[in-house]
Amino acid sequence: MRRIAALMTIATLSVGLVACGGDDDSTTSKTTGAGTATSADTGALPDLAGREVTVAVENAYLPFNYIDPKSGEGAGWDYDAWNAICENLNCVPKFKEAAWEGMIQAVADGQFDAAADGITITDERKQQVDFSDGYIQIEQRLLVRKGEDRFSSVDEIKADPSLKIGTQTGTTNFDKAVELFGEGRITAFEQFPFAVEALINKDVDVVIMDETAGLGYVGANGDKLDLVGDSLSSDALGFIFPKGSDLVDPVNQALAAMRADGTLDTLAENYFTDKFTVTEEDLAG
């Protein structure tokens, strides 16, 4: 019951964020660009006239994006969300697999029209890219081996310098780990599955990761893993775009419409509750 309650809280927050939104300076642009229709006076959503939109995804971050082991096709919250966005805006999403390391810079350089990979909205990243309104609020947590009795809090980890901390490089989880424990204690991995494998194999003692992903790992490895301690931070996630992109405002309007018609509620229920049953073991085949 604890897992379901936590996930339903996340689902509720995902809708609330789109309702308030607008705290990001990049979302205030009213430019719709060539081939779009301005909707400020009519209340209708912009029409992107069948425009193709390239969306970078890692395909390695449950439940946001992954390769479905049955179909071999991309799947996850990001895929369904962008399909719904483009249904609203008359565009065609073209998903492109890209490594997380370098993804933000690649979008900033215009290699992709957008990226969807559970990206935390930060002031530092706003210097490189424009963000959509936040679509979900996530917590950073401590993932440990089942039955861990040496520590259950940040303070206890700080007090024992022999404890090793794992996380994914280039993430806000990595930044938080360095902030709390110093870079010398951190082992950074290219992807979270590698960090979790290192935790299970006792190569690290704790992994800092987003609660949404952590709950998935606990669900798949209930006899091996657990989440402990309080939230380390609460962060909003958003899509990213090259600076000045004419897609930001239309996407924000689509997100608002998806909140109003219940689409975001449905997506949250499908991916952030125990309805979602895909695990890393499934993907490993």
Side-chain angles (χ1 to χ4, degrees):
M1 291 301 294
R2 176 172 61 84
R3 176 172 180 262
I4 295 174
L7 286 166
M8 287 306 295
T9 299
I10 294 168
T12 302
L13 286 171
S14 72
V15 177
L17 267 167
V18 177
C20 55
D23 59 342
D24 175 11
D25 293 341
S26 69
T27 65
T28 60
S29 172
K30 300 303 180 184
T31 302
T32 53
T36 67
T38 303
S39 59
D41 297 327
T42 65
L45 289 172
D47 186 343
L48 299 184
R51 173 176 168 180
E52 289 190 356
V53 179
T54 57
V55 183
V57 289
E58 189 180 5
N59 281 337
Y61 191 36
L62 293 174
F64 292 99
N65 52 70
Y66 59 96
I67 299 300
D68 188 304
K70 295 180 179 178
S71 68
E73 301 294 327
W77 190 97
D78 290 330
Y79 283 85
D80 285 0
W82 267 95
N83 283 330
I85 288 169
C86 278
E87 183 175 347
N88 277 286
L89 299 179
N90 186 20
C91 59
V92 180
K94 295 294 183 181
F95 298 98
K96 303 291 186 179
E97 185 170 313
W100 166 251
E101 187 73 16
M103 183 183 292
I104 294 175
Q105 187 60 54
V107 172
D109 292 341
Q111 295 180 35
F112 307 102
D113 295 319
D117 207 57
I119 303 172
T120 302
I121 300 172
T122 69
D123 289 337
E124 181 180 0
R125 288 172 178 170
K126 288 179 186 179
Q127 302 303 309
Q128 293 179 273
V129 293
D130 284 346
F131 276 93
S132 70
D133 290 337
Y135 57 75
I136 190 173
Q137 190 82 14
I138 54 92
E139 312 296 321
Q140 293 192 45
R141 298 286 305 280
L142 301 173
L143 183 71
V144 301
R145 289 186 292 275
K146 191 77 172 181
E148 177 62 70
D149 59 6
R150 295 170 297 170
F151 61 89
S152 60
S153 69
V154 167
D155 288 342
E156 290 174 321
I157 296 172
K158 286 181 176 179
D160 186 350
S162 69
L163 297 174
K164 299 177 182 178
I165 301 96
T167 193
Q168 183 175 2
T169 184
T171 63
T172 52
N173 307 114
F174 177 85
D175 295 339
K176 177 58 68 173
V178 172
E179 173 191 329
L180 292 173
F181 307 113
E183 190 166 0
R185 296 182 63 181
I186 312 304
T187 301
F189 299 85
E190 290 185 2
Q191 295 180 356
F192 272 116
F194 302 145
V196 175
E197 182 179 2
L199 175 64
I200 293 173
N201 292 335
K202 299 185 179 181
D203 295 322
V204 297
D205 299 291
V206 59
V207 170
I208 294 181
M209 68 190 319
D210 294 344
E211 186 176 49
T212 50
L215 285 165
Y217 285 107
V218 172
N221 301 274
D223 60 333
K224 299 177 182 178
L225 299 171
D226 202 1
L227 287 165
V228 300
D230 298 327
S231 169
L232 307 183
S233 71
S234 183
D235 304 302
L237 306 184
F239 304 123
I240 62 170
F241 307 84
K243 277 288 188 181
S245 171
D246 64 343
L247 288 170
V248 177
D249 187 62
V251 167
N252 283 341
Q253 291 186 53
L255 286 171
M258 289 160 63
R259 171 188 176 271
D261 68 14
T263 299
L264 287 180
D265 281 333
T266 299
L267 289 177
E269 183 177 357
N270 288 343
Y271 287 102
F272 303 130
T273 72
D274 59 355
K275 282 189 175 182
F276 185 73
T277 59
V278 179
T279 69
E280 292 293 342
E281 292 179 356
D282 295 329
L283 302 186

